[in-house]
Amino acid sequence: MSEELLRLSKRMSELGLCSRREADEWIARGWVRVDGKVVSELGTKIYPSQRVSVERQAAAEQSKRVTVLINKPMGYVSGQAEDGYQPAVVLIKPENRWAEDPSPEQFHPTQLRSLVPAGRLDIDSVGLLVLTQDGRVAKHLIGETTDVDKEYLVRVEYTKPGKLPDSDLKKLNHGLWMDGKALQPAKVRWQNDDQLSFTLREGKKRQIRRMCDMVGLKVIGLKRVRIGKVKLGDLPVGEWRYLRPDEQF
């Protein structure tokens, strides 16, 4: 069976070495070797069986990349600025750093370079948002094959008489369709009279609001409280902290 050639940057991303963008940067700097030889031409193609290694500088560069957790307030968008709304990244400045952040990391403006959201949170939702410079973190949280679950507390109002039937709560857990596809199973349970906890593995646009809509629930407030093993905890609204070296999603 003949092997197919792959772009070196794609292969590096598949191997979990870095993101494709980082790969191109490292190739251009002469930090990547294929079968022991430096390859510095962008767009180079290799066979999957060839051995890819990176110089120590690349690992050092990567270890300097930061990941930041922010408790996003209402009215901020996750990514690019849009319609006069500011992106959450504008809140990442020394005066908004949580006073109780245990990380020894020092803030430096270079950390804002290519600090991108790993996943989104709607403008009218609050809670845990991850911003990272590390392509591996982004891929882990939002890649096609991610198995990291996310938990939300959702305040709701039932728009029909009486209360939500158990059969509809079951549908929220599994059985709803969106955009022509069956949704993956979710864990949805009542926290108290007007608040549900949603745990999801996927994140379609406005998914929770649309799921609630389908069973006659109106969302009054939505807050993300956990991504994988990382919790929002006591982080105040509008403040941020660094992901600690011992924390894993």
Side-chain angles (χ1 to χ4, degrees):
M1 182 181 122
S2 66
E3 285 191 288
E4 277 196 34
L5 282 165
L6 279 178
R7 275 184 82 111
L8 177 54
S9 55
K10 181 171 196 275
R11 181 64 182 143
M12 287 169 69
S13 162
E14 278 178 3
L15 290 167
L17 293 169
C18 56
S19 68
R20 286 196 201 186
R21 195 174 61 194
E22 283 173 312
D24 283 337
E25 213 175 283
W26 294 358
I27 293 165
R29 290 185 179 187
W31 288 352
V32 181
R33 291 176 185 261
V34 176
D35 293 337
K37 289 199 182 72
V38 172
V39 171
S40 55
E41 195 174 319
L42 293 179
T44 298
K45 294 192 166 179
I46 66 163
Y47 290 110
S49 58
Q50 291 184 275
R51 197 169 58 82
V52 179
S53 57
V54 294
E55 302 292 321
R56 279 210 305 271
Q57 299 96 299
E61 174 94 351
Q62 204 169 36
S63 68
K64 289 202 306 250
R65 293 177 187 256
V66 298
T67 296
V68 166
L69 312 173
I70 185 167
N71 186 345
K72 185 186 92 64
M74 294 262 271
Y76 286 84
V77 290
S78 305
Q80 301 295 315
E82 52 186 81
D83 308 332
Y85 292 107
Q86 292 188 298
V89 73
V90 301
L91 297 167
I92 310 294
K93 47 191 179 191
E95 55 270 34
N96 291 348
R97 183 174 178 181
W98 188 31
E100 292 174 42
D101 183 357
S103 169
E105 186 78 55
Q106 294 288 313
F107 176 75
H108 195 273
T110 54
Q111 293 167 354
L112 298 173
R113 273 213 318 257
S114 65
L115 190 65
V116 295
R120 42 194 304 289
L121 201 51
D122 295 328
I123 188 160
D124 40 10
S125 302
V126 301
L128 186 57
L129 181 66
V130 176
L131 298 164
T132 187
Q133 290 180 311
D134 190 335
R136 293 167 305 176
V137 172
K139 189 173 177 217
H140 182 50
L141 295 186
I142 53 179
E144 290 293 298
T145 55
T146 181
D147 57 356
V148 178
D149 62 359
K150 302 170 181 76
E151 187 184 345
Y152 303 79
L153 292 181
V154 187
R155 198 165 289 282
V156 290
E157 207 170 74
Y158 194 42
T159 56
K160 299 175 186 173
K163 61 188 196 37
L164 183 78
D166 284 347
S167 58
D168 280 351
L169 182 66
K170 280 205 179 82
K171 267 189 211 156
L172 287 172
N173 277 274
H174 197 203
L176 294 177
W177 284 64
M178 200 173 281
D179 306 331
K181 271 173 139 171
L183 290 176
Q184 293 177 18
K187 278 190 201 135
V188 184
R189 56 180 203 279
W190 286 104
Q191 289 286 98
N192 50 43
D193 290 348
D194 65 348
Q195 190 161 274
L196 287 161
S197 153
F198 273 73
T199 302
L200 306 178
R201 286 243 157 119
E202 58 192 335
K204 292 183 186 294
K205 194 161 180 168
R206 301 185 82 76
Q207 179 171 338
I208 291 176
R209 292 169 196 277
R210 290 164 69 193
M211 286 170 77
C212 286
D213 234 13
M214 291 174 189
V215 295
L217 289 170
K218 183 178 170 208
V219 171
I220 308 297
L222 193 154
K223 178 183 190 178
R224 182 155 62 201
V225 292
R226 180 176 65 77
I227 297 177
K229 293 183 190 147
V230 175
K231 294 187 172 133
L232 180 63
D234 299 326
L235 185 62
V237 175
E239 295 190 13
W240 61 273
R241 68 175 179 85
Y242 290 104
L243 182 74
R244 298 193 312 268
D246 64 316
E247 281 182 302
Q248 295 276 313
F249 290 103

